[in-house]
Amino acid sequence: MPHVVFTDNIQRHVACPPSTVGGGTVREVLDEVFSTNERARGYVLDEHGAVRKHMIVFIDGTMIRDRLSLSDPVLPDAEVYVMQALSGG
Amino acid sequence: MSDRLLAATRKGLFLIERTGRKSVPWEITGISFLAEHVIMTLPDRRDGSIYASLYHGHFGSKLHRSTDQGNTWTEIAVPSYPKQPEGEVQKDMWGRTIEWKLDRIWALEAGGRDEPGVLWCGTLPGGLFKSTDHGSSWSLVESLWNDPRRMEWMGGGADLPGIHSVCVDPRESQRVTIGVSCGGVWVTNDGGTTWDCQANGIWSAYTPPEQKENPNVQDVHRVVQCRSNPDALWAQHHNGIFRSTDRCASWQDVSHLKSVSPTSFGFAVAVHPGEANTAWFVPGVKDEHRLPADGKVVVARTRDGGATYDILRNGLPQDHAYDLTYRHGLDIDESGDRLAFGSTTGSLWVTEDQGDSWQTVSQHLPPIYCVRFV
């Protein structure tokens, strides 16, 4: 099952411990994480579910391509890494 | 009289209290959200709660509420824009796409005393939101957002247009006046069901002549309403000072400040709660400079509805001072005797005699966005 890790920077505002969840796309994976941590959703995604302008999501070190629908596939043993851009803050 | 003051800054929310000591009459007694970008705060005098809007560059805008005077905070909902209709693209006058997304919160005000829990929130890119449950949820005021005249609005101070002033009529809570940069002054008499742009008489020096008196393009920097005489409103505009005595049906240019000051440009205005003819301003050299004239920080005060102005400088720096006061950086307490203002270079001053003399609270705070008496 995919392993999800969040940048330390976000932990100042909302706790996002590493987690192992189900899901075959970025959307499914993050939805499962946020289902038990709803507050964190708004820090990573905007009100329409797209990745915030200054946030980045990697799958096994490769940046996702679909920041709007989050449709990039996630393999069962992948690591999803959520971090903030160096711009924007 | 208020003995407590909040300053929302680039690096946190500061609580300042009156000590009663002559040597240090006001001092910083509390800090919340240290290192965070606090762009707006609202002390709700109806129930004692305090709201703070944080603008995280990466993580978006957030709202927090405290019910214990800022000792602890709870994150609450932020306004959310609805999804834009499929296939519809909105562009501003520069051709840039206006996304239906919250950029930042620019105004936060309590509803009337007869409607506990009601809050109004002005935002960039121009949406007005209302909460009826102390900010636990928000609704976009669609009547205003969907008004086709909104598409004439343009950015003023930011790329996107924004609502920076919300005045709730103390006599009738359904009457609400808002100020928009740049979109003039808008009024509702029915709690937001219908709106009208009411900036007739305000004129712009910066537009083509054909647009000079268009009420919907006016860059009103700040609008305030007199508590005891809500028909009286004051506006600090991009190119001058305007006043209305008929609840925005008409506005008069009262930029006579130019007769005693090098400038009538500025962002902030405060009106005395009991004397509609008395108002204060923090002038600066106009738009391309945004500095105090001659490096001297002054406050302008009128007591006669803008016919004449006093320039107040006792206690304010008069040598190489480059402090700029933003539109929410000046406030007056309920007595009308105490005012406070803060600057982009972290200075904060308080007066207890309507501006005749000023006391320095600090010259070393982070850039100050908003000052409000509790």
Side-chain angles (χ1 to χ4, degrees), chain B residues 223-256:
Chain B
V223 182
V224 293
Q225 185 172 34
C226 178
R227 184 182 302 273
S228 65
N229 179 5
D231 289 343
L233 293 99
W234 289 84
Q236 173 67 66
H237 180 270
H238 192 85
N239 51 260
I241 296 168
F242 295 85
R243 178 187 186 227
S244 174
T245 55
D246 52 14
R247 213 168 62 80
C248 306
S250 64
W251 291 84
Q252 293 78 49
D253 184 346
V254 288
S255 305
H256 313 298

Side-chain angles (χ1 to χ4, degrees), chain B residues 5 18-19 21-27 314-316 338-341 347-353 355-363:
Chain B
L5 183 64
R18 189 173 190 272
T19 65
R21 300 197 304 271
K22 210 167 186 178
S23 55
V24 186
W26 294 76
E27 68 180 5
N314 184 11
L316 299 175
R338 292 181 179 171
L339 293 97
F341 73 106
S347 298
L348 179 64
W349 297 280
V350 176
T351 176
E352 299 184 14
D353 53 15
D356 288 336
S357 61
W358 295 87
Q359 303 154 9
T360 301
V361 178
S362 176
Q363 292 177 298

Side-chain angles (χ1 to χ4, degrees), chain A residues 9-10 12-13 39 42-43 46-48 50 52 54-55 84-89, chain B residues 10 34-36 56-60 62 64 75 79-83 100-102:
Chain A
N9 202 291
I10 199 171
R12 292 174 57 225
H13 309 293
R39 200 174 139 233
Y43 283 74
D46 68 21
E47 59 253 72
H48 304 313
R52 285 194 174 280
H54 299 293
M55 295 298 288
Q84 80 284 359
L86 296 181
S87 61
Chain B
R10 180 66 179 84
L34 184 61
E36 303 303 334
H56 300 299
H58 301 95
F59 307 121
K62 308 296 175 209
H64 297 255
E75 187 174 333
S80 295
Y81 282 76
K83 279 213 162 179
W100 289 27
K101 290 180 180 178
L102 176 67

Side-chain angles (χ1 to χ4, degrees), chain A residues 1-76:
Chain A
M1 295 170 73
H3 187 62
V4 186
V5 178
F6 289 84
T7 172
D8 285 347
N9 202 291
I10 199 171
Q11 318 283 344
R12 292 174 57 225
H13 309 293
V14 54
C16 295
S19 56
T20 301
V21 295
T25 65
V26 175
R27 172 74 68 202
E28 292 169 357
V29 167
L30 291 183
D31 273 351
E32 186 161 335
V33 173
F34 296 145
S35 69
T36 57
N37 190 1
E38 186 59 37
R39 200 174 139 233
R41 182 188 300 272
Y43 283 74
V44 178
L45 307 179
D46 68 21
E47 59 253 72
H48 304 313
V51 179
R52 285 194 174 280
K53 183 178 178 183
H54 299 293
M55 295 298 288
I56 311 173
V57 179
F58 292 90
I59 303 170
D60 290 333
T62 301
M63 196 184 308
I64 66 168
R65 299 171 67 90
D66 181 4
R67 297 172 55 87
L68 294 178
S69 301
L70 284 62
S71 62
D72 290 46
V74 179
L75 297 174

Side-chain angles (χ1 to χ4, degrees), chain B residues 42-46 108-112 115 118-120 168 372:
Chain B
L42 166 67
D44 189 341
R45 290 169 181 158
R46 298 169 304 177
L108 199 56
E109 297 293 344
E115 44 182 17
V118 168
L119 301 171
W120 294 91
V168 178
R372 297 191 92 156

Side-chain angles (χ1 to χ4, degrees), chain B residues 93-160:
Chain B
M93 64 185 298
W94 315 107
R96 296 175 298 209
T97 300
I98 299 178
E99 293 186 275
W100 289 27
K101 290 180 180 178
L102 176 67
D103 180 81
R104 74 189 68 177
I105 288 167
W106 217 17
L108 199 56
E109 297 293 344
R113 292 202 173 271
D114 59 332
E115 44 182 17
V118 168
L119 301 171
W120 294 91
C121 182
T123 70
L124 277 70
L128 178 68
F129 291 81
K130 184 178 184 181
S131 172
T132 58
D133 54 11
H134 307 274
S136 295
S137 63
W138 295 90
S139 300
L140 175 67
V141 179
E142 294 192 7
S143 53
L144 185 63
W145 183 248
N146 293 328
D147 191 308
R149 291 172 290 180
R150 178 179 63 81
M151 297 313 300
E152 272 195 309
W153 294 0
M154 56 185 170
D159 282 351
L160 295 163

Side-chain angles (χ1 to χ4, degrees), chain B residues 116-327:
Chain B
V118 168
L119 301 171
W120 294 91
C121 182
T123 70
L124 277 70
L128 178 68
F129 291 81
K130 184 178 184 181
S131 172
T132 58
D133 54 11
H134 307 274
S136 295
S137 63
W138 295 90
S139 300
L140 175 67
V141 179
E142 294 192 7
S143 53
L144 185 63
W145 183 248
N146 293 328
D147 191 308
R149 291 172 290 180
R150 178 179 63 81
M151 297 313 300
E152 272 195 309
W153 294 0
M154 56 185 170
D159 282 351
L160 295 163
I163 297 170
H164 49 66
S165 300
V166 179
C167 306
V168 178
D169 192 321
R171 297 168 304 194
E172 172 51 66
S173 302
Q174 300 302 298
R175 294 179 179 173
V176 178
T177 302
I178 65 168
V180 186
S181 282
C182 303
V185 179
W186 289 67
V187 176
T188 180
N189 293 312
D190 51 22
T193 304
T194 59
W195 292 87
D196 199 17
C197 183
Q198 293 189 193
N200 293 326
I202 300 179
W203 60 275
S204 58
Y206 49 83
T207 52
E210 295 78 8
Q211 293 289 323
K212 178 181 174 183
E213 295 179 350
N214 179 352
N216 200 27
V217 301
Q218 298 302 326
D219 187 9
V220 176
H221 286 174
R222 182 83 169 121
V223 182
V224 293
Q225 185 172 34
C226 178
R227 184 182 302 273
S228 65
N229 179 5
D231 289 343
L233 293 99
W234 289 84
Q236 173 67 66
H237 180 270
H238 192 85
N239 51 260
I241 296 168
F242 295 85
R243 178 187 186 227
S244 174
T245 55
D246 52 14
R247 213 168 62 80
C248 306
S250 64
W251 291 84
Q252 293 78 49
D253 184 346
V254 288
S255 305
H256 313 298
L257 177 56
K258 282 181 287 195
S259 65
V260 290
S261 162
T263 173
S264 59
F265 178 86
F267 293 99
V269 50
V271 58
H272 191 288
E275 300 167 17
N277 284 337
T278 300
W280 292 260
F281 306 84
V282 187
V285 181
K286 77 175 182 70
D287 48 3
E288 66 270 35
H289 298 289
R290 301 178 186 224
L291 294 166
D294 304 321
K296 303 175 193 300
V297 174
V298 301
V299 171
R301 178 184 63 202
T302 178
R303 294 192 186 278
D304 53 15
T308 62
Y309 292 84
D310 301 317
I311 299 299
L312 312 169
R313 58 181 85 236
N314 184 11
L316 299 175
Q318 299 300 296
D319 184 40
H320 282 292
Y322 302 103
D323 299 74
L324 179 70
T325 295
Y326 282 152
R327 67 197 77 215

